[in-house]
Amino acid sequence: MVVVFTGGTGGTKLVQGLQQVVAPEELTVIVNTGDDIEWWGLFVSPDIDSVLYGMAGLLSTERGWGVEGDSFRCLERMKRLGQAPWFSLGDLDLATHLTRTAMLRAGKPLGEATAELAAKMGIRARVLPMSDDRVSTMLDTAKDTLTFQEYFVRERHQVKVHTVRFEGAERARPAPGVLESVAAADAIVLAPSNPVTSIGPMLAVPGILDALRTAKASIAAVSPIVGGAAVSGPAGELMKMMGWPSTIAGVARAYEDFLDVLIADRADEVEASHLNSKTLRVVCTSTIMKSMDDKRALARFALDACATPQITGFAGD
Ligand code: GDP
């Protein structure tokens, strides 16, 4: 079994690649929920939605979030009714949030709601939230404390952050299936997601870090940092705030407790050769994923890096 830990935008691209090279019953996707937000009374789980839409072939390629070809008529009306305008939900996207919210209100845990949504979207691989319990990524700035969406969407990550906290993490339990799949995995991949705000919340849920430390499978991470900067978003800035350099060495530092293989971009070949050591193998390839071929090639490379020949032969559906 292949287990992948992921956030939304960057991670979903690799998950799409893994979907092409791993049989669905052999793939478990564990998703960050620290970005979750209640909006218009609905429970929105942006990273789960990106993963589900990405895996179902529904994701907007242009925006990188939400449903391809969606309209925003409800949003326009909500703005006219005086609702805060900075967080956009598309009309088709709303159906997902309405369905999830109804399931949660009926008492279903987030994991079950996610599994049902995935099945309804035709996804056969397993998609798990990191936890059924609410964990909120909070960012302290000089002025105030922001939720992840306030920081990322409303402030366009242009404010200086002093600390990142994962509210509720200390009481959260890993969702059913998370620890079991990590323990049973033949390969574990950390997608090129933000180490601080996408992978960080998952490692903060008690039990997950220990499961990674004691996993029998090799653990490979694809660097979201290419050529000394994040491909997109605030990962570089937030890593510096954590005291880690905004380089592949910083990514290695973030995952030093359990990482076996770091997959860096060819742009970082020189640094990779310095970082390569007895305890951490650093390998380079093209890690920028634009086409499905890029995604598939990187997914294959990640599985090869975990040295799991029995699962890399799968040619996809
Ligand atoms: P979020 O939940 O929306 O923040 O999404 P993720 O954490 O999954 O992804 C954000 C990270 O993906 C950023 O740090 C980017 O640097 C990284 N990223 C985006 N696209 C690519 C890509 O094509 N290749 C690599 N290596 N990293 C990428």
Short mmCIF file of all heavy atoms in Angstrom, two decimals, residues 30-89:
data_model
loop_
_atom_site.label_atom_id
_atom_site.label_comp_id
_atom_site.label_asym_id
_atom_site.label_seq_id
_atom_site.Cartn_x
_atom_site.Cartn_y
_atom_site.Cartn_z
N ILE A 30 -3.85 10.89 2.86
CA ILE A 30 -4.15 11.50 4.16
C ILE A 30 -4.02 13.02 4.00
O ILE A 30 -2.99 13.52 3.54
CB ILE A 30 -3.22 10.96 5.26
CG1 ILE A 30 -3.38 9.43 5.34
CG2 ILE A 30 -3.53 11.63 6.61
CD1 ILE A 30 -2.43 8.74 6.30
N VAL A 31 -5.10 13.73 4.37
CA VAL A 31 -5.20 15.14 3.99
C VAL A 31 -5.25 16.06 5.22
O VAL A 31 -5.93 15.77 6.21
CB VAL A 31 -6.48 15.36 3.13
CG1 VAL A 31 -6.48 16.76 2.52
CG2 VAL A 31 -6.60 14.31 2.03
N ASN A 32 -4.57 17.20 5.08
CA ASN A 32 -4.59 18.24 6.11
C ASN A 32 -5.99 18.84 6.26
O ASN A 32 -6.66 19.13 5.26
CB ASN A 32 -3.61 19.34 5.68
CG ASN A 32 -3.74 20.58 6.53
OD1 ASN A 32 -3.80 20.50 7.75
ND2 ASN A 32 -3.77 21.74 5.89
N THR A 33 -6.40 19.06 7.50
CA THR A 33 -7.68 19.75 7.72
C THR A 33 -7.50 21.00 8.59
O THR A 33 -8.50 21.59 9.03
CB THR A 33 -8.70 18.80 8.40
OG1 THR A 33 -8.15 18.34 9.64
CG2 THR A 33 -9.05 17.62 7.52
N GLY A 34 -6.25 21.41 8.80
CA GLY A 34 -6.00 22.62 9.61
C GLY A 34 -6.53 23.88 8.95
O GLY A 34 -6.74 24.90 9.61
N ASP A 35 -6.76 23.82 7.61
CA ASP A 35 -7.25 24.99 6.86
C ASP A 35 -8.77 25.09 6.88
O ASP A 35 -9.33 26.00 6.28
CB ASP A 35 -6.90 24.87 5.36
CG ASP A 35 -5.43 24.75 5.09
OD1 ASP A 35 -4.64 24.71 6.03
OD2 ASP A 35 -5.08 24.69 3.89
N ASP A 36 -9.44 24.11 7.49
CA ASP A 36 -10.91 24.07 7.41
C ASP A 36 -11.53 25.33 8.00
O ASP A 36 -11.00 25.92 8.94
CB ASP A 36 -11.45 22.83 8.14
CG ASP A 36 -11.08 21.54 7.40
OD1 ASP A 36 -10.34 21.62 6.41
OD2 ASP A 36 -11.50 20.46 7.85
N ILE A 37 -12.66 25.70 7.44
CA ILE A 37 -13.28 26.97 7.83
C ILE A 37 -14.79 26.82 7.76
O ILE A 37 -15.30 26.07 6.92
CB ILE A 37 -12.79 28.10 6.87
CG1 ILE A 37 -13.43 29.44 7.20
CG2 ILE A 37 -13.04 27.75 5.41
CD1 ILE A 37 -12.89 30.61 6.37
N GLU A 38 -15.47 27.53 8.65
CA GLU A 38 -16.92 27.59 8.53
C GLU A 38 -17.26 28.87 7.78
O GLU A 38 -16.81 29.96 8.17
CB GLU A 38 -17.56 27.58 9.91
CG GLU A 38 -18.75 26.63 9.92
CD GLU A 38 -19.32 26.46 11.29
OE1 GLU A 38 -18.66 25.81 12.11
OE2 GLU A 38 -20.40 27.02 11.53
N TRP A 39 -17.99 28.73 6.69
CA TRP A 39 -18.28 29.90 5.85
C TRP A 39 -19.72 29.84 5.40
O TRP A 39 -20.17 28.81 4.92
CB TRP A 39 -17.32 29.87 4.63
CG TRP A 39 -17.26 31.17 3.89
CD1 TRP A 39 -17.77 31.42 2.66
CD2 TRP A 39 -16.66 32.38 4.34
NE1 TRP A 39 -17.52 32.73 2.31
CE2 TRP A 39 -16.85 33.34 3.33
CE3 TRP A 39 -15.99 32.76 5.52
CZ2 TRP A 39 -16.38 34.65 3.44
CZ3 TRP A 39 -15.53 34.06 5.63
CH2 TRP A 39 -15.72 34.99 4.60
N TRP A 40 -20.46 30.90 5.60
CA TRP A 40 -21.89 30.94 5.30
C TRP A 40 -22.61 29.80 6.02
O TRP A 40 -23.58 29.20 5.51
CB TRP A 40 -22.17 30.80 3.80
CG TRP A 40 -21.54 31.85 2.93
CD1 TRP A 40 -21.04 33.06 3.32
CD2 TRP A 40 -21.35 31.77 1.51
NE1 TRP A 40 -20.54 33.73 2.24
CE2 TRP A 40 -20.71 32.97 1.12
CE3 TRP A 40 -21.63 30.82 0.55
CZ2 TRP A 40 -20.37 33.24 -0.20
CZ3 TRP A 40 -21.30 31.09 -0.77
CH2 TRP A 40 -20.67 32.29 -1.14
N GLY A 41 -22.10 29.44 7.19
CA GLY A 41 -22.73 28.36 7.96
C GLY A 41 -22.40 26.98 7.45
O GLY A 41 -22.95 25.99 7.94
N LEU A 42 -21.49 26.90 6.47
CA LEU A 42 -21.14 25.60 5.90
C LEU A 42 -19.74 25.19 6.33
O LEU A 42 -18.87 26.04 6.54
CB LEU A 42 -21.20 25.67 4.36
CG LEU A 42 -22.57 26.06 3.80
CD1 LEU A 42 -22.49 26.21 2.29
CD2 LEU A 42 -23.62 25.03 4.19
N PHE A 43 -19.53 23.87 6.41
CA PHE A 43 -18.23 23.36 6.80
C PHE A 43 -17.40 23.12 5.53
O PHE A 43 -17.70 22.22 4.75
CB PHE A 43 -18.39 22.07 7.59
CG PHE A 43 -17.12 21.63 8.22
CD1 PHE A 43 -16.75 22.07 9.49
CD2 PHE A 43 -16.25 20.79 7.54
CE1 PHE A 43 -15.55 21.68 10.06
CE2 PHE A 43 -15.05 20.40 8.09
CZ PHE A 43 -14.69 20.84 9.35
N VAL A 44 -16.39 23.97 5.34
CA VAL A 44 -15.57 23.90 4.12
C VAL A 44 -14.21 23.31 4.49
O VAL A 44 -13.58 23.74 5.46
CB VAL A 44 -15.40 25.31 3.50
CG1 VAL A 44 -14.59 25.23 2.21
CG2 VAL A 44 -16.76 25.94 3.24
N SER A 45 -13.77 22.35 3.71
CA SER A 45 -12.51 21.67 3.98
C SER A 45 -11.65 21.78 2.71
O SER A 45 -11.61 20.87 1.89
CB SER A 45 -12.82 20.20 4.33
OG SER A 45 -11.74 19.63 4.99
N PRO A 46 -10.98 22.93 2.55
CA PRO A 46 -10.38 23.26 1.25
C PRO A 46 -9.38 22.22 0.73
O PRO A 46 -9.38 21.93 -0.47
CB PRO A 46 -9.68 24.60 1.50
CG PRO A 46 -10.44 25.19 2.65
CD PRO A 46 -10.83 24.04 3.51
N ASP A 47 -8.56 21.65 1.62
CA ASP A 47 -7.58 20.69 1.10
C ASP A 47 -8.24 19.39 0.69
O ASP A 47 -7.93 18.81 -0.36
CB ASP A 47 -6.48 20.43 2.15
CG ASP A 47 -5.55 21.64 2.30
OD1 ASP A 47 -5.77 22.64 1.59
OD2 ASP A 47 -4.61 21.59 3.11
N ILE A 48 -9.21 18.93 1.49
CA ILE A 48 -9.95 17.71 1.10
C ILE A 48 -10.65 17.95 -0.23
O ILE A 48 -10.62 17.11 -1.13
CB ILE A 48 -10.96 17.30 2.19
CG1 ILE A 48 -10.21 16.78 3.42
CG2 ILE A 48 -11.94 16.24 1.66
CD1 ILE A 48 -11.12 16.33 4.56
N ASP A 49 -11.25 19.13 -0.38
CA ASP A 49 -11.97 19.41 -1.63
C ASP A 49 -11.03 19.42 -2.82
O ASP A 49 -11.35 18.86 -3.87
CB ASP A 49 -12.73 20.74 -1.51
CG ASP A 49 -13.84 20.64 -0.48
OD1 ASP A 49 -14.32 19.51 -0.24
OD2 ASP A 49 -14.21 21.67 0.10
N SER A 50 -9.86 20.04 -2.68
CA SER A 50 -8.90 20.06 -3.80
C SER A 50 -8.50 18.63 -4.16
O SER A 50 -8.41 18.28 -5.34
CB SER A 50 -7.66 20.87 -3.44
OG SER A 50 -7.99 22.22 -3.32
N VAL A 51 -8.25 17.82 -3.13
CA VAL A 51 -7.85 16.43 -3.38
C VAL A 51 -8.99 15.67 -4.07
O VAL A 51 -8.78 14.99 -5.07
CB VAL A 51 -7.43 15.74 -2.06
CG1 VAL A 51 -7.31 14.24 -2.23
CG2 VAL A 51 -6.11 16.32 -1.55
N LEU A 52 -10.21 15.80 -3.54
CA LEU A 52 -11.35 15.09 -4.14
C LEU A 52 -11.58 15.54 -5.58
O LEU A 52 -11.72 14.72 -6.49
CB LEU A 52 -12.62 15.30 -3.31
CG LEU A 52 -12.66 14.68 -1.91
CD1 LEU A 52 -14.01 14.96 -1.25
CD2 LEU A 52 -12.39 13.18 -1.92
N TYR A 53 -11.62 16.85 -5.80
CA TYR A 53 -11.85 17.36 -7.15
C TYR A 53 -10.71 16.92 -8.08
O TYR A 53 -10.93 16.56 -9.23
CB TYR A 53 -11.98 18.88 -7.16
CG TYR A 53 -13.20 19.43 -6.42
CD1 TYR A 53 -13.18 20.70 -5.86
CD2 TYR A 53 -14.36 18.67 -6.31
CE1 TYR A 53 -14.29 21.22 -5.20
CE2 TYR A 53 -15.47 19.18 -5.65
CZ TYR A 53 -15.43 20.45 -5.10
OH TYR A 53 -16.53 20.95 -4.45
N GLY A 54 -9.48 16.98 -7.55
CA GLY A 54 -8.33 16.59 -8.36
C GLY A 54 -8.40 15.13 -8.75
O GLY A 54 -8.17 14.76 -9.90
N MET A 55 -8.76 14.28 -7.80
CA MET A 55 -8.81 12.84 -8.08
C MET A 55 -10.00 12.48 -8.97
O MET A 55 -9.96 11.50 -9.70
CB MET A 55 -8.88 12.05 -6.77
CG MET A 55 -7.61 12.18 -5.94
SD MET A 55 -7.69 11.22 -4.41
CE MET A 55 -7.16 9.60 -5.00
N ALA A 56 -11.07 13.28 -8.88
CA ALA A 56 -12.27 12.99 -9.67
C ALA A 56 -12.22 13.65 -11.05
O ALA A 56 -13.16 13.52 -11.83
CB ALA A 56 -13.50 13.47 -8.90
N GLY A 57 -11.16 14.39 -11.32
CA GLY A 57 -11.04 15.08 -12.61
C GLY A 57 -11.95 16.29 -12.70
O GLY A 57 -12.32 16.72 -13.79
N LEU A 58 -12.32 16.85 -11.55
CA LEU A 58 -13.24 18.00 -11.54
C LEU A 58 -12.54 19.32 -11.23
O LEU A 58 -13.14 20.39 -11.34
CB LEU A 58 -14.32 17.79 -10.46
CG LEU A 58 -15.26 16.60 -10.62
CD1 LEU A 58 -16.10 16.41 -9.34
CD2 LEU A 58 -16.18 16.83 -11.81
N LEU A 59 -11.28 19.26 -10.83
CA LEU A 59 -10.58 20.45 -10.32
C LEU A 59 -10.36 21.48 -11.43
O LEU A 59 -9.96 21.13 -12.54
CB LEU A 59 -9.23 20.01 -9.74
CG LEU A 59 -8.41 21.08 -9.01
CD1 LEU A 59 -9.09 21.51 -7.73
CD2 LEU A 59 -7.01 20.53 -8.70
N SER A 60 -10.59 22.73 -11.10
CA SER A 60 -10.33 23.79 -12.06
C SER A 60 -8.83 23.92 -12.27
O SER A 60 -8.09 24.22 -11.33
CB SER A 60 -10.89 25.13 -11.54
OG SER A 60 -10.31 26.19 -12.25
N THR A 61 -8.38 23.71 -13.49
CA THR A 61 -6.94 23.81 -13.76
C THR A 61 -6.50 25.26 -13.75
O THR A 61 -5.39 25.58 -13.35
CB THR A 61 -6.59 23.17 -15.13
OG1 THR A 61 -7.62 23.50 -16.05
CG2 THR A 61 -6.49 21.67 -15.03
N GLU A 62 -7.41 26.13 -14.15
CA GLU A 62 -7.07 27.55 -14.24
C GLU A 62 -6.86 28.14 -12.84
O GLU A 62 -5.87 28.80 -12.56
CB GLU A 62 -8.23 28.25 -14.95
CG GLU A 62 -8.00 29.68 -15.32
CD GLU A 62 -9.33 30.33 -15.66
OE1 GLU A 62 -10.16 29.67 -16.35
OE2 GLU A 62 -9.56 31.45 -15.21
N ARG A 63 -7.83 27.88 -11.95
CA ARG A 63 -7.75 28.45 -10.59
C ARG A 63 -6.90 27.61 -9.66
O ARG A 63 -6.30 28.13 -8.73
CB ARG A 63 -9.16 28.56 -9.99
CG ARG A 63 -9.87 29.85 -10.35
CD ARG A 63 -11.25 29.90 -9.71
NE ARG A 63 -12.25 29.27 -10.55
CZ ARG A 63 -12.92 28.17 -10.23
NH1 ARG A 63 -12.73 27.59 -9.08
NH2 ARG A 63 -13.79 27.65 -11.06
N GLY A 64 -6.86 26.29 -9.87
CA GLY A 64 -6.13 25.40 -8.96
C GLY A 64 -6.96 25.03 -7.74
O GLY A 64 -6.51 24.28 -6.88
N TRP A 65 -8.14 25.55 -7.61
CA TRP A 65 -9.07 25.16 -6.54
C TRP A 65 -10.49 25.22 -7.12
O TRP A 65 -10.72 25.85 -8.16
CB TRP A 65 -8.95 26.09 -5.31
CG TRP A 65 -9.16 27.55 -5.62
CD1 TRP A 65 -8.17 28.44 -5.95
CD2 TRP A 65 -10.41 28.27 -5.67
NE1 TRP A 65 -8.74 29.68 -6.21
CE2 TRP A 65 -10.11 29.60 -6.04
CE3 TRP A 65 -11.73 27.91 -5.44
CZ2 TRP A 65 -11.09 30.58 -6.18
CZ3 TRP A 65 -12.73 28.89 -5.59
CH2 TRP A 65 -12.39 30.21 -5.94
N GLY A 66 -11.41 24.58 -6.45
CA GLY A 66 -12.81 24.60 -6.90
C GLY A 66 -13.03 23.78 -8.16
O GLY A 66 -12.13 23.10 -8.67
N VAL A 67 -14.26 23.85 -8.63
CA VAL A 67 -14.70 22.97 -9.74
C VAL A 67 -14.48 23.68 -11.08
O VAL A 67 -14.81 24.86 -11.24
CB VAL A 67 -16.20 22.63 -9.56
CG1 VAL A 67 -16.71 21.76 -10.71
CG2 VAL A 67 -16.44 21.94 -8.22
N GLU A 68 -13.96 22.91 -12.02
CA GLU A 68 -13.75 23.40 -13.39
C GLU A 68 -15.06 23.94 -13.96
O GLU A 68 -16.10 23.29 -13.84
CB GLU A 68 -13.25 22.22 -14.24
CG GLU A 68 -12.94 22.56 -15.68
CD GLU A 68 -11.57 23.18 -15.82
OE1 GLU A 68 -10.59 22.53 -15.41
OE2 GLU A 68 -11.48 24.30 -16.34
N GLY A 69 -15.00 25.10 -14.55
CA GLY A 69 -16.18 25.66 -15.24
C GLY A 69 -17.27 26.13 -14.30
O GLY A 69 -18.40 26.37 -14.74
N ASP A 70 -16.96 26.27 -13.00
CA ASP A 70 -17.99 26.68 -12.04
C ASP A 70 -18.39 28.14 -12.28
O ASP A 70 -17.64 28.93 -12.86
CB ASP A 70 -17.44 26.52 -10.60
CG ASP A 70 -18.54 26.22 -9.60
OD1 ASP A 70 -19.72 26.33 -9.96
OD2 ASP A 70 -18.21 25.85 -8.45
N SER A 71 -19.58 28.48 -11.80
CA SER A 71 -20.03 29.88 -11.83
C SER A 71 -20.07 30.39 -10.39
O SER A 71 -19.95 29.60 -9.45
CB SER A 71 -21.41 29.96 -12.47
OG SER A 71 -22.29 29.05 -11.82
N PHE A 72 -20.24 31.69 -10.23
CA PHE A 72 -20.20 32.28 -8.89
C PHE A 72 -21.42 33.17 -8.64
O PHE A 72 -21.31 34.24 -8.08
CB PHE A 72 -18.87 33.05 -8.72
CG PHE A 72 -17.68 32.13 -8.67
CD1 PHE A 72 -17.05 31.72 -9.82
CD2 PHE A 72 -17.23 31.64 -7.45
CE1 PHE A 72 -15.98 30.84 -9.78
CE2 PHE A 72 -16.15 30.76 -7.38
CZ PHE A 72 -15.52 30.36 -8.56
N ARG A 73 -22.56 32.70 -9.07
CA ARG A 73 -23.78 33.51 -8.95
C ARG A 73 -24.20 33.66 -7.49
O ARG A 73 -24.62 34.73 -7.07
CB ARG A 73 -24.90 32.89 -9.77
CG ARG A 73 -24.57 32.87 -11.26
CD ARG A 73 -25.73 32.43 -12.07
NE ARG A 73 -26.84 33.38 -11.96
CZ ARG A 73 -28.10 33.08 -12.21
NH1 ARG A 73 -28.42 31.86 -12.57
NH2 ARG A 73 -29.04 33.99 -12.10
N CYS A 74 -24.08 32.58 -6.74
CA CYS A 74 -24.46 32.66 -5.33
C CYS A 74 -23.55 33.67 -4.61
O CYS A 74 -24.02 34.49 -3.83
CB CYS A 74 -24.37 31.28 -4.69
SG CYS A 74 -24.83 31.31 -2.96
N LEU A 75 -22.25 33.59 -4.92
CA LEU A 75 -21.28 34.52 -4.31
C LEU A 75 -21.66 35.97 -4.59
O LEU A 75 -21.65 36.82 -3.68
CB LEU A 75 -19.87 34.22 -4.85
CG LEU A 75 -18.76 35.14 -4.38
CD1 LEU A 75 -18.46 34.95 -2.90
CD2 LEU A 75 -17.47 34.89 -5.19
N GLU A 76 -22.01 36.25 -5.84
CA GLU A 76 -22.41 37.63 -6.20
C GLU A 76 -23.60 38.08 -5.37
O GLU A 76 -23.63 39.18 -4.84
CB GLU A 76 -22.78 37.71 -7.71
CG GLU A 76 -21.58 37.60 -8.63
CD GLU A 76 -20.45 38.54 -8.23
OE1 GLU A 76 -20.74 39.70 -7.89
OE2 GLU A 76 -19.28 38.09 -8.21
N ARG A 77 -24.57 37.18 -5.23
CA ARG A 77 -25.77 37.51 -4.46
C ARG A 77 -25.42 37.70 -2.98
O ARG A 77 -25.92 38.61 -2.33
CB ARG A 77 -26.81 36.40 -4.66
CG ARG A 77 -28.06 36.52 -3.85
CD ARG A 77 -28.89 37.74 -4.18
NE ARG A 77 -29.27 37.81 -5.58
CZ ARG A 77 -30.14 38.68 -6.07
NH1 ARG A 77 -30.73 39.55 -5.27
NH2 ARG A 77 -30.43 38.70 -7.35
N MET A 78 -24.55 36.83 -2.47
CA MET A 78 -24.15 36.93 -1.06
C MET A 78 -23.46 38.28 -0.82
O MET A 78 -23.67 38.92 0.21
CB MET A 78 -23.21 35.78 -0.68
CG MET A 78 -23.87 34.42 -0.64
SD MET A 78 -25.23 34.29 0.55
CE MET A 78 -24.38 33.68 1.98
N LYS A 79 -22.64 38.70 -1.77
CA LYS A 79 -21.96 40.00 -1.63
C LYS A 79 -23.00 41.11 -1.54
O LYS A 79 -22.90 42.02 -0.73
CB LYS A 79 -21.04 40.25 -2.82
CG LYS A 79 -19.73 39.50 -2.75
CD LYS A 79 -18.86 39.90 -3.93
CE LYS A 79 -17.70 38.95 -4.09
NZ LYS A 79 -17.00 39.11 -5.37
N ARG A 80 -24.02 41.02 -2.41
CA ARG A 80 -25.07 42.05 -2.41
C ARG A 80 -25.85 42.05 -1.11
O ARG A 80 -26.39 43.07 -0.69
CB ARG A 80 -26.02 41.84 -3.58
CG ARG A 80 -25.46 42.44 -4.84
CD ARG A 80 -26.56 42.81 -5.78
NE ARG A 80 -26.32 42.13 -7.04
CZ ARG A 80 -27.23 41.89 -7.95
NH1 ARG A 80 -28.47 42.25 -7.76
NH2 ARG A 80 -26.92 41.28 -9.05
N LEU A 81 -25.90 40.88 -0.50
CA LEU A 81 -26.61 40.79 0.79
C LEU A 81 -25.70 41.18 1.96
O LEU A 81 -26.07 41.02 3.11
CB LEU A 81 -27.16 39.38 0.99
CG LEU A 81 -28.27 38.96 0.02
CD1 LEU A 81 -28.66 37.50 0.23
CD2 LEU A 81 -29.51 39.86 0.19
N GLY A 82 -24.50 41.63 1.62
CA GLY A 82 -23.63 42.17 2.66
C GLY A 82 -22.71 41.15 3.32
O GLY A 82 -22.09 41.44 4.34
N GLN A 83 -22.61 39.97 2.74
CA GLN A 83 -21.70 38.96 3.31
C GLN A 83 -20.25 39.30 2.95
O GLN A 83 -20.00 39.88 1.90
CB GLN A 83 -22.05 37.57 2.78
CG GLN A 83 -23.42 37.07 3.20
CD GLN A 83 -23.49 36.78 4.70
OE1 GLN A 83 -22.61 36.16 5.25
NE2 GLN A 83 -24.54 37.26 5.33
N ALA A 84 -19.33 38.90 3.83
CA ALA A 84 -17.90 39.17 3.58
C ALA A 84 -17.51 38.60 2.22
O ALA A 84 -17.84 37.45 1.90
CB ALA A 84 -17.06 38.55 4.68
N PRO A 85 -16.82 39.40 1.39
CA PRO A 85 -16.59 39.01 0.00
C PRO A 85 -15.28 38.29 -0.28
O PRO A 85 -15.02 37.88 -1.40
CB PRO A 85 -16.56 40.38 -0.70
CG PRO A 85 -15.99 41.30 0.33
CD PRO A 85 -16.41 40.78 1.67
N TRP A 86 -14.44 38.09 0.73
CA TRP A 86 -13.06 37.68 0.38
C TRP A 86 -12.86 36.19 0.16
O TRP A 86 -11.86 35.78 -0.41
CB TRP A 86 -12.06 38.21 1.42
CG TRP A 86 -12.32 37.80 2.84
CD1 TRP A 86 -13.00 38.52 3.77
CD2 TRP A 86 -11.89 36.59 3.48
NE1 TRP A 86 -13.04 37.84 4.96
CE2 TRP A 86 -12.35 36.65 4.82
CE3 TRP A 86 -11.16 35.47 3.09
CZ2 TRP A 86 -12.11 35.63 5.73
CZ3 TRP A 86 -10.92 34.45 4.00
CH2 TRP A 86 -11.39 34.54 5.31
N PHE A 87 -13.80 35.35 0.57
CA PHE A 87 -13.62 33.90 0.38
C PHE A 87 -14.63 33.42 -0.64
O PHE A 87 -15.83 33.58 -0.44
CB PHE A 87 -13.79 33.18 1.73
CG PHE A 87 -13.33 31.75 1.71
CD1 PHE A 87 -11.98 31.43 1.66
CD2 PHE A 87 -14.25 30.71 1.75
CE1 PHE A 87 -11.55 30.11 1.64
CE2 PHE A 87 -13.84 29.38 1.75
CZ PHE A 87 -12.48 29.08 1.69
N SER A 88 -14.16 32.88 -1.74
CA SER A 88 -15.06 32.53 -2.85
C SER A 88 -15.45 31.07 -2.84
O SER A 88 -14.59 30.19 -2.75
CB SER A 88 -14.36 32.81 -4.19
OG SER A 88 -13.97 34.16 -4.25
N LEU A 89 -16.74 30.84 -2.95
CA LEU A 89 -17.23 29.48 -3.15
C LEU A 89 -18.06 29.47 -4.43
O LEU A 89 -18.95 30.31 -4.60
CB LEU A 89 -18.12 29.05 -1.97
CG LEU A 89 -17.46 28.93 -0.59
CD1 LEU A 89 -18.50 28.50 0.45
CD2 LEU A 89 -16.30 27.93 -0.61
#
